[in-house]
Amino acid sequence: MRDFTWGIAATGTIARTVGAAIVAEPGMRVGAVGSRNLDRAQALAATLGAESAYDSYERLCADPAVDAIYVATPHAQHLQVAEAAIAAGKAVLCEKPLAATVDDAEKMVRLAREAGVFLMEAMWMRFNPLIQMVAADPRFGEVRSIHASFGFAHPYDPVHRLWAPELGGGALLDLGIYPFGLAQLLLGMPSDLRVTGSLAPNGVDAEAGGVLLYPGGRKALVETSLLGNYPNDASVVGTEMRADILAPFWAPQRILLTGPSMEPEEHVLDPADNGYAGELREVRDATADGRTESSIMPLDESLAMMGLLAEARRQLA
């Protein structure tokens, strides 16, 4: 059986990181790299052992040797690349957030469903075995509270992708999706949301702190920022057990479980089984099974998160 073959759209840090994960995964390879800059595409292709490099995303998606496209462009370009990949019948793994806007995300999902093509948001946190263990462990009883933060100080630069509005910049889409996403995974969508924070001089969200409220008094307290260095850890408190997820909580290597009726448990991640490997396997397995959506990262939940983050941003205006 031939290797499952990926095309990588873009050549930035995350493209290189996920490309290396593909190369390390048995039965997978990178067949092509696409970029608006052919020199960069050729350089990354050489690094990853890919035989083809293209100067456009459309040409990348048309490569007949490629089974799936990994979209690693800035958020605002996700729709363009995903649209080309879906039109070419390629499975799509799209870096988080799914798109820069709710409208773009809804169009991507509609196109994929109409074409019967696999599409998934690359929320690697959901594929981390320690996070999956927390989500599945019945010993918590009822989860009552979640605390999670993701923030670091990044100098304001209106042309940097983290700050540029035309590239989908801001703390919420790039960082906040993780603490909001942990709450979504463990508690679902909130019945109410209350957010405060501040905007950068160009209007993008610089920081946000929110309370997600759920029926029966359950809650999640989340923070994200490009202005200050946060703990970047998380805690999950249930009626019977507590989890402390050490930084970085969205890609944890260690968690501690404690409770009044148990001995403390420390769980450590196998370094070879990080979230990147899990999401890559999900795309391959779904494609082999003829599935067009993931049960681990469903498209409806990606759309719901886009709406939640948009509402959080609206409250900062």
Side-chain angles (χ1 to χ4, degrees):
M1 181 181 295
R2 72 178 185 86
D3 289 346
F4 189 80
T5 302
W6 289 87
I8 298 181
T11 59
T13 301
I14 190 62
R16 295 192 298 271
T17 299
V18 174
I22 292 170
V23 171
E25 187 65 19
M28 292 191 191
R29 71 184 185 98
V30 177
V33 176
S35 171
R36 292 174 175 174
N37 183 305
L38 183 58
D39 289 342
R40 290 194 201 123
Q42 291 172 332
L44 183 57
T47 298
L48 299 176
E51 59 265 30
S52 300
Y54 298 104
D55 60 0
S56 80
Y57 301 130
E58 290 75 17
R59 293 186 64 203
L60 169 71
C61 294
D63 187 327
V66 168
D67 299 307
I69 300 293
Y70 169 59
V71 182
T73 62
H75 317 328
Q77 297 168 15
H78 286 182
L79 173 60
Q80 172 201 348
V81 183
E83 190 169 7
I86 291 166
K90 311 295 188 184
V92 181
L93 176 64
C94 185
E95 192 49 60
K96 60 81 196 164
L98 190 60
T101 67
V102 173
D103 287 346
D104 281 4
E106 289 177 343
K107 183 175 182 180
M108 288 169 61
V109 171
R110 175 175 57 80
L111 290 172
R113 286 174 169 168
E114 288 175 351
V117 171
F118 182 88
L119 171 66
M120 186 181 80
E121 181 182 19
M123 176 54 77
W124 67 316
M125 178 179 70
R126 288 209 180 197
F127 293 86
N128 182 288
L130 297 183
I131 293 292
Q132 291 181 332
M133 183 182 69
V134 169
D137 199 323
R139 294 178 296 168
F140 282 98
E142 182 183 41
V143 174
R144 299 295 306 172
S145 177
I146 296 169
H147 290 202
S149 69
F150 186 2
F152 55 78
H154 191 284
Y156 176 66
D157 178 356
V159 302
H160 190 280
R161 70 167 189 86
L162 286 174
W163 293 103
E166 68 275 12
L167 297 178
L172 281 165
L173 284 178
D174 218 271
L175 312 182
I177 192 170
Y178 287 115
F180 277 85
L182 185 67
Q184 180 192 39
L185 175 63
L186 300 178
L187 290 175
M189 291 299 289
S191 56
D192 195 12
L193 172 66
R194 301 172 189 174
V195 176
T196 186
S198 67
L199 303 179
N202 65 352
V204 303
D205 46 286
E207 60 183 346
V211 182
L212 286 68
L213 302 175
Y214 297 85
R218 295 173 298 149
K219 64 186 180 299
L221 307 178
V222 300
E223 291 185 287
T224 187
S225 177
L226 292 170
L227 301 180
N229 297 309
Y230 280 67
N232 297 338
D233 57 10
S235 63
V236 180
V237 179
T239 52
E240 304 295 332
M241 188 173 73
R242 170 190 176 101
D244 289 293
I245 308 174
L246 303 190
F249 81 84
W250 57 92
Q253 298 183 22
R254 179 171 168 262
I255 66 170
L256 182 65
L257 303 178
T258 56
S261 59
M262 61 181 287
E263 291 294 319
E265 293 179 11
E266 182 182 54
H267 296 266
V268 179
L269 181 72
D270 180 346
D273 196 20
N274 60 32
Y276 293 129
E279 63 187 13
L280 295 171
R281 294 170 195 153
E282 175 74 352
V283 178
R284 177 199 59 199
D285 295 346
T287 302
D289 296 341
R291 291 184 284 120
T292 58
E293 299 191 25
S294 169
S295 60
I296 300 173
M297 188 65 252
L299 290 175
D300 284 344
E301 293 192 22
S302 294
L303 290 177
M305 178 54 60
M306 289 298 304
L308 189 66
L309 294 174
E311 172 57 22
R313 175 61 181 80
R314 187 195 66 79
Q315 292 187 23
L316 297 180

